[in-house]
């Protein structure tokens, strides 16, 4: 055991609590009141409290919910990866157990998009709107260059040795991203995000991207609800260090076209392109843009 292998069983969340679902504890934190309720679906390697800053903004005008999927974050361990249907069903049960009335505005970041889409396929009547935060798309491979395909992304996962080398840089990045968090949240979160369990969970969730896309393609497209997609095209130094300039540009173009196709598939869809941040930093650098997108979808969803 390394010094970083804090057991997730011993990690107590600094805020929020637990809801038991199928005999397992799921971490959940809600704030605000009113509806439609806004539910955040984290990306792989992220946890609910990474969205605390934007949750605070959203809670000023409606109910805002962050949570950790089973097997991730403060929730009880579970074998990963899981199907999108398993994750979507768990979220549906969580919201019902918490007496949070449907329909919901789902705010999906990165891999969270796969789970939001599956939720919408299984429970279309429970979705009032969608906010796509640079999120996963089932047709990813149709828009991206081969070097950035889902299969290629799966193969690029770091091995344990590479992870160990990355640890100091990752901690530095987390410390900087969470700099504006209240101290009672910031320090416990930095420590927990450095634990072996949390890091392994993030890698495991990214290991079946091709299967997730296949699962989603077997079902319908997103329902005809208000959608705002934030497409992030800013420079990501880490990506630029690993990828050719041409591939980076092809990925930017692909992402832009992919989100444009998503919003054009509904009656009230809008794409907003952000060039002053990158994928992992979106909610930290531009909480204003994220909260505004959510407010606009909530307002549109509330109209008859």
């Amino acid at each position: 055991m390394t010094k970083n292998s804090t057991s997730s069983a011993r990690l107590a969340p600094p805020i929020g609590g637990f809801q038991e679902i199928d005999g397992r504890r799921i971490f959940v934190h809600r704030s605000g009141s009113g509806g439609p309720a806004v539910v955040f679906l984290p990306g792989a390697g992220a946890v609910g409290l990474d969205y605390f800053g934007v949750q605070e903004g959203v809670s000023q005008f409606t109910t805002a919910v962050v949570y950790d999927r089973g097997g991730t974050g403060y929730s009880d361990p579970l074998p990963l990866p899981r199907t999108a249907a398993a994750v979507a069903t768990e979220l549906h049960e969580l919201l019902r157990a918490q007496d949070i009335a449907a329909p919901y505005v789902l705010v999906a970041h990165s891999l969270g998009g796969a789970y939001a889409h599956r939720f919408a396929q299984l429970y279309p009547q429970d979705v009032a709107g969608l906010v796509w935060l640079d999120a996963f798309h089932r047709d990813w491979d149709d828009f991206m260059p081969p070097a950035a395909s889902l299969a290629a992304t799966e193969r690029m996962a770091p091995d344990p040795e590479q992870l160990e080398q990355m640890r100091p840089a990752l901690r530095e990045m987390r410390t900087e991203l969470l700099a504006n968090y209240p101290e009672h949240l910031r320090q416990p979160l930095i420590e927990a995000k450095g634990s072996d369990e949390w890091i392994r969970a993030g890698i495991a969730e990214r290991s079946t991207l091709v299967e997730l896309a296949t699962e989603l393609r077997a079902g319908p497209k997103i329902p005809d609800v208000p959608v705002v997609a934030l497409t992030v095209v800013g420079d990501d130094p880490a990506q630029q260090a690993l990828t050719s300039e041409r591939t980076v540009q092809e990925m930017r173009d692909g992402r832009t076209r992919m989100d444009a196709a998503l919003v054009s598939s509904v009656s009230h869809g809008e794409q907003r392109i952000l060039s002053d941040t990158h994928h992992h930093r979106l909610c930290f650098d531009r909480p204003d843009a994220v909260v505004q997108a959510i407010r606009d979808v909530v307002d549109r969803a509330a109209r008859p």
Side-chain angles (χ1 to χ4, degrees):
M1 297 283 275
T2 71
K3 63 179 184 300
N4 295 291
S5 58
T6 314
S7 166
S8 51
R10 290 199 303 269
L11 288 175
I15 192 172
F18 294 101
Q19 175 69 53
E20 192 165 301
I21 302 290
D22 291 336
R24 292 179 289 103
R25 297 178 315 155
I26 300 293
F27 167 77
V28 60
H29 172 58
R30 59 194 285 188
S31 55
S33 61
V38 169
V39 183
F40 291 85
L41 287 83
V47 295
L49 289 181
D50 285 326
Y51 306 89
F52 175 78
V54 284
Q55 180 190 24
E56 288 290 276
V58 173
S59 69
Q60 303 303 306
F61 55 88
T62 193
T63 303
V65 182
V66 298
Y67 88 112
D68 291 341
R69 293 184 283 276
T72 75
Y74 291 106
S75 291
D76 280 349
L78 194 66
L80 297 174
R82 302 163 77 194
T83 64
V87 174
T89 304
E90 174 189 81
L91 175 57
H92 191 250
E93 289 175 9
L94 171 70
L95 295 169
R96 290 181 64 166
Q98 287 273 307
D99 290 323
I100 299 169
Y104 315 106
V105 170
L106 303 181
V107 180
H109 179 221
S110 194
L111 187 65
Y115 306 128
H117 191 157
R118 196 72 181 108
F119 188 101
Q121 288 178 340
L122 295 172
Y123 313 105
Q125 72 286 355
D126 287 350
V127 180
L130 292 164
V131 181
W132 222 245
L133 304 180
D134 218 34
F136 181 92
H137 195 292
R138 65 179 183 176
D139 297 323
W140 177 274
D141 284 352
D142 295 345
F143 293 91
M144 292 295 164
S149 70
L150 294 176
T153 304
E154 285 180 21
R155 288 194 297 269
M156 285 191 286
D159 60 34
E161 198 175 314
Q162 288 170 317
L163 258 182
E164 207 53 47
Q165 292 169 349
M166 290 160 63
R167 230 185 242 283
L170 287 172
R171 185 182 177 90
E172 195 177 314
M173 180 187 77
R174 287 191 288 267
T175 303
E176 188 253 328
L177 285 178
L178 300 171
N180 294 326
Y181 268 40
E183 186 58 28
H184 71 286
L185 292 187
R186 189 171 67 90
Q187 213 47 51
L189 204 48
I190 290 169
E191 294 304 325
K193 286 175 80 71
S195 69
D196 289 349
E197 281 86 352
W198 283 30
I199 291 170
R200 280 200 297 266
I203 292 171
E205 279 204 305
R206 291 186 191 93
S207 66
T208 50
L209 302 176
V210 175
E211 283 179 36
L212 285 175
T214 302
E215 181 183 352
L216 292 172
R217 279 199 299 274
K221 64 181 186 180
I222 61 171
D224 192 9
V225 294
V227 178
V228 172
L230 297 187
T231 307
V232 179
V233 296
D235 294 335
D236 180 349
Q239 189 183 64
Q240 288 170 319
L242 296 169
T243 315
S244 74
E245 199 173 319
R246 180 181 171 181
T247 300
V248 169
Q249 189 55 52
E250 287 175 344
M251 287 177 71
R252 277 195 199 116
D253 295 345
R255 197 177 275 286
T256 303
R257 288 185 292 109
M258 184 170 69
D259 283 352
L262 179 82
V263 300
S264 69
S265 72
V266 296
S267 305
H268 301 284
E270 184 186 348
Q271 180 181 28
R272 299 174 186 174
I273 296 173
L274 301 178
S275 58
D276 57 353
T277 183
H278 55 85
H279 185 71
H280 299 292
R281 300 189 59 98
L282 170 58
C283 291
F284 299 99
D285 289 346
R286 292 301 311 276
D288 58 319
V290 175
V291 172
Q292 188 62 55
I294 295 168
R295 185 190 279 276
D296 292 342
V297 169
V298 166
D299 288 348
R300 289 168 196 168
R303 289 179 201 151

